């Protein structure tokens, strides 16, 4: 190599580094994303008895038959109707749409739905998409599809009177999502039952009190890819719930990224709270083992939306929809 050639090579070295270093960083990032997607899903989790055991003595002999409505994508979604036992004379009949919690279905709201019907409300308990008899379990086609489904139900099964949207746990998070959205005028009142406000919210216990195993590396990787418009791997599971293996066929044991990002509030849950302009209240069990129930009032007040919060003494998470005292407190929340 001549001296001139050596000088030219030295001059080109900085340019080569400018090309090689970013290429190596890109390669490392791609490898990290691939590893997070492939192996960063949720781990195994031990069953949580306080979630499943309260249902062992529920009487389902009066469970209404499941009905169907058609969502905008053509999928048949299931729901159950509870007629009011004693309609209030001279007033418009209020309908309550019930949204169940994570992994569950409309049947899990049976006791609460009966209590609301006994108070004179028409009740529609929904199998949310990805649960029960509403499409493939654990899946949704796109983020935000559950909100579309709620709107589609209102169009498919219209009601002339006032309406309340009530949701439990993750369903309460979805209710908050709708309450702070451009569709908030669809309902006159919103009732949040022990709502899951998000993993970073001060009301959420670590791992939801042992209820959920979170595939955080996969969630972060897919969030980054979704920001670039890449949704190819959104069907992969990112949450696994603490269910007994024997009831996996009845409930939904895991959520895909798409469903997990849809069934709850937006990541900026404080924006959902601030934007909620309608009537909103919270009811929770004082002894909730999944949420820090005593923190709800401060959380909403600090976000600029002080709301009434009722804490029912001696009641845990699932007891809020099953305990006789608790369901009466929930029914009162629909009236106040």
């Amino acid at each position: 190599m001549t001296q001139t050639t050596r000088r030219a090579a030295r001059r080109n070295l900085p340019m080569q580094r400018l090309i090689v270093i970013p290429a190596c960083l890109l390669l490392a990032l791609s490898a990290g994303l691939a590893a997070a997607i492939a192996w960063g899903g949720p781990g195994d989790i031990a069953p949580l008895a306080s979630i499943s055991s309260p249902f062992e003595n529920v009487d389902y002999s009066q469970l209404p038959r499941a009905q169907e409505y058609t969502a905008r994508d053509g999928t048949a979604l299931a729901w159950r109707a509870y007629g009011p036992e004693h309609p209030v004379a001279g007033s418009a009949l209020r309908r309550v749409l019930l949204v169940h919690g994570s992994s569950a279905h409309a049947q899990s709201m049976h006791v609460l739905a009966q209590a609301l019907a006994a108070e004179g409300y028409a009740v529609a308990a929904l199998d949310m998409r990805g649960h029960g008899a509403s499409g493939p379990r654990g899946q949704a086609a796109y983020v935000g599809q559950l909100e579309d489904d709620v709107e589609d139900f209102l169009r498919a099964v219209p009601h002339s009177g006032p309406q309340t949207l009530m949701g439990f746990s993750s369903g309460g998070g979805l209710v908050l999502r709708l309450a702070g959205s451009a569709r908030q005028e669809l309902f006159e009142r919103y009732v949040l039952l022990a709502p899951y406000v998000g993993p970073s919210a001060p009301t959420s216990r670590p791992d939801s009190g042992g209820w959920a195993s979170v595939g955080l590396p996969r969630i972060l990787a897919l969030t980054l890819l979704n920001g670039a418009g890449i949704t190819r791997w959104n069907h992969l599971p990112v949450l696994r719930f603490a269910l007994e293996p024997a009831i996996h066929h009845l409930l939904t044991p895991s959520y895909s990224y798409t469903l997990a990002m849809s069934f709850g509030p937006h990541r900026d849950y404080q924006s959902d709270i601030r934007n909620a302009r309608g009537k909103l209240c919270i009811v929770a069990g004082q002894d909730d083992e999944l949420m820090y129930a005593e923190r709800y009032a401060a959380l909403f007040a600090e976000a600029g939306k002080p709301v009434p919060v009722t804490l029912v003494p001696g009641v845990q998470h699932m007891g809020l929809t099953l305990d006789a005292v608790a369901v009466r407190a929930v029914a009162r929340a629909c009236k106040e």
Side-chain angles (χ1 to χ4, degrees), residues 96-182:
V96 178
L97 264 67
L98 278 182
V99 181
H100 56 75
S102 55
S103 94
H105 44 56
Q107 184 172 322
S108 68
M109 306 298 280
H110 176 62
V111 174
L112 176 57
Q114 284 185 311
L116 292 170
E119 291 290 329
Y121 300 107
V123 180
L126 309 182
D127 272 5
M128 301 306 297
R129 183 184 295 267
H131 305 78
S134 292
R137 293 195 184 170
Q139 297 289 336
Y142 55 86
V143 175
Q145 191 171 29
L146 274 63
E147 298 154 77
D148 289 345
D149 291 341
V150 171
E151 185 175 45
D152 291 344
F153 175 82
L154 297 181
R155 291 174 178 169
V157 190
H159 179 74
S160 59
Q163 299 194 81
T164 293
L165 184 61
M166 178 183 294
F168 171 63
S169 198
S170 287
L174 178 63
V175 168
L176 176 60
R177 185 185 188 114
L178 278 156
S181 75

Side-chain angles (χ1 to χ4, degrees), residues 12-88:
N12 290 333
L13 187 58
M15 184 60 68
Q16 292 170 353
R17 288 174 176 167
L18 288 175
I19 296 172
V20 171
I21 292 175
C24 290
L25 291 174
L26 181 60
L27 183 61
L29 176 61
S30 299
L33 286 173
I37 292 170
W39 299 296
D44 294 333
I45 184 169
L48 189 61
S50 67
I51 297 297
S52 56
S53 60
F55 289 94
E56 293 174 358
N57 297 318
V58 174
D59 179 7
Y60 290 110
S61 61
Q62 301 299 315
L63 182 71
R65 67 177 181 84
Q67 304 182 53
E68 291 184 344
Y69 72 97
T70 303
R72 66 190 64 187
D73 68 339
T75 301
L77 304 179
W79 69 288
R80 298 178 190 270
Y82 295 78
E85 293 183 14
H86 305 289
V88 179

Side-chain angles (χ1 to χ4, degrees), residues 32-41 217-218 221-222 225 233 236:
L33 286 173
I37 292 170
W39 299 296
R218 182 175 286 169
L222 291 177
L225 290 176
W233 295 283
L236 294 175

